[in-house]
Amino acid sequence: MKILITGANGYIGTGVVKALLTLKQDVVATDFNTDGIDERAKAIAGNLFEIENPYEYFGKPDVVLHLAWRNGFVHNSETHLGDLPNHFTFLSKMAESGVKKIVALGSMHEIGFWEGRIKENTPCNPMSLYGISKNSLRESLDLLCNQKNILFQWIRGYYIVGNSEKGASIFSKITSAEKEGKTEFPFTTGKNQYDFIDYDEFCNQIANVAINNDVTGIINCCSGEPESLASRVERFIKDNNYSIKLKYGAFPDRPYDSLAVWGDNAKIQEILKQNGVL
């Protein structure tokens, strides 16, 4: 299949491009700049939202994998709401022109405060502008794809673990602090339990979703298991042989984060089985 990946030069995008190329897919990768994109992909630099007919412009892809999103780690940035119409308009143009499937990246922050396992039908009550905007895009695309008879997959992402300085996760920040020679990293209590997934595995799961047409709807890309933030971060520091120490209690726990939340991974496991990965 020819797969268009938006946000392809971002933290997640670069890994997903490589994963899809490994799966022998025809990849068209686009972002504002393309300096970090695997050279095996066809890279096109530009602003998605300014293209009149993106389906034709990007060579009539079979699938659009929409990863583009800015300020994902700034949960109450007003850009989330401001950009929302542009995301929907772009994907609407793709749907109107002939794309066969839309795959978009969501977030567990669509759910809001929740204790326990997040399933496909878990009710959403987002508590940040990021979560509200992602959830609104999901609902809008679900309606659009039903009307146009287009396959729709919504990838719900969880907590990604990777030692790249690219990105703004706690793991990226710790890596940067370690390289800067800092001895302490300000931290919360670390008691909250989340669903952590290694970067390469997350990218691999996204790639496998994109090439599978049998399992649709909301798909949790996750480990399926809860682990405390303190435990996972301490393990990350040890695995990478960092010398930095956590300064517990320097920051308060966020009021909209639950004590324990993780994803139901049944659908992604089914996809991996169908694709011959498991």
Side-chain angles (χ1 to χ4, degrees):
M1 292 186 292
K2 178 182 282 188
I3 301 175
L4 169 65
I5 304 177
T6 69
N9 201 39
Y11 174 56
I12 296 170
T14 51
V16 174
V17 168
K18 289 181 183 295
L20 279 168
L21 289 168
T22 299
L23 294 171
K24 308 300 182 185
Q25 301 303 306
D26 181 4
V27 176
V28 179
T30 187
D31 210 321
F32 288 110
N33 66 74
T34 59
D35 56 356
I37 293 174
D38 192 302
E39 293 181 356
R40 293 173 294 169
K42 180 179 180 180
I44 301 175
N47 187 340
L48 300 174
F49 304 146
E50 295 177 351
I51 300 169
E52 185 61 32
N53 190 337
Y55 181 69
E56 295 283 345
Y57 184 83
F58 290 113
K60 299 182 179 179
D62 301 299
V63 179
V64 55
L65 174 51
H66 191 60
L67 305 178
W69 200 277
R70 61 172 171 159
N71 294 332
F73 288 94
V74 187
H75 288 169
N76 280 313
S77 170
E78 292 183 2
T79 61
H80 300 309
L81 291 177
D83 290 343
L84 179 58
N86 293 327
H87 289 285
F88 183 71
T89 298
F90 164 72
L91 292 168
S92 295
K93 289 178 180 178
M94 297 295 292
E96 292 283 351
S97 301
V99 76
K100 297 180 179 67
K101 184 169 75 169
I102 292 175
V103 189
L105 180 62
S107 167
M108 52 83 62
H109 290 290
E110 301 154 42
I111 300 297
F113 190 86
W114 183 261
E115 297 286 352
R117 189 184 304 273
I118 293 175
K119 300 181 179 181
E120 181 180 354
N121 60 353
T122 298
C124 293
N125 183 29
M127 301 178 70
S128 66
L129 295 181
Y130 176 64
I132 289 168
S133 301
K134 282 287 189 181
N135 192 53
S136 296
L137 182 62
R138 177 185 62 82
E139 292 179 330
S140 301
L141 291 176
D142 189 36
L143 182 64
L144 173 69
C145 291
N146 279 327
Q147 290 173 341
K148 300 295 181 183
N149 198 28
I150 295 171
L151 292 175
F152 176 50
Q153 294 167 317
W154 183 261
I155 296 170
R156 186 163 280 159
Y158 288 75
Y159 289 88
I160 306 165
V161 181
N163 62 0
S164 169
E165 291 180 81
K166 195 172 185 178
S169 72
I170 187 171
F171 302 100
S172 297
K173 291 177 180 177
I174 288 173
T175 297
S176 295
E178 171 75 18
K179 290 183 178 180
E180 290 169 9
K182 294 181 179 178
T183 58
E184 283 190 327
F185 186 85
F187 198 55
T188 64
T189 63
K191 294 178 180 178
N192 299 64
Q193 296 182 57
Y194 302 118
D195 191 315
F196 296 100
I197 181 169
D198 288 340
Y199 176 82
D200 288 340
E201 176 59 22
F202 185 63
C203 294
N204 183 59
Q205 287 189 7
I206 292 175
N208 274 277
V209 169
I211 65 171
N212 184 291
N213 293 333
D214 296 325
V215 181
T216 59
I218 298 170
I219 300 163
N220 291 313
C221 283
C222 60
S223 70
E225 299 292 338
E227 183 177 358
S228 74
L229 180 61
S231 171
R232 189 63 189 91
V233 172
E234 292 283 11
R235 185 154 57 89
F236 173 78
I237 290 171
K238 182 179 178 181
D239 289 346
N240 287 279
N241 296 314
Y242 292 165
S243 59
I244 198 167
K245 305 295 183 184
L246 297 177
K247 186 178 180 181
Y248 286 94
F251 293 126
D253 295 321
R254 296 184 303 201
Y256 56 87
D257 283 340
S258 67
L259 292 178
V261 62
W262 64 98
D264 184 330
N265 68 348
K267 290 180 77 172
I268 188 60
Q269 291 295 301
E270 176 61 25
I271 287 172
L272 295 175
K273 286 177 184 177
Q274 288 186 11
N275 292 5
V277 178
L278 295 179

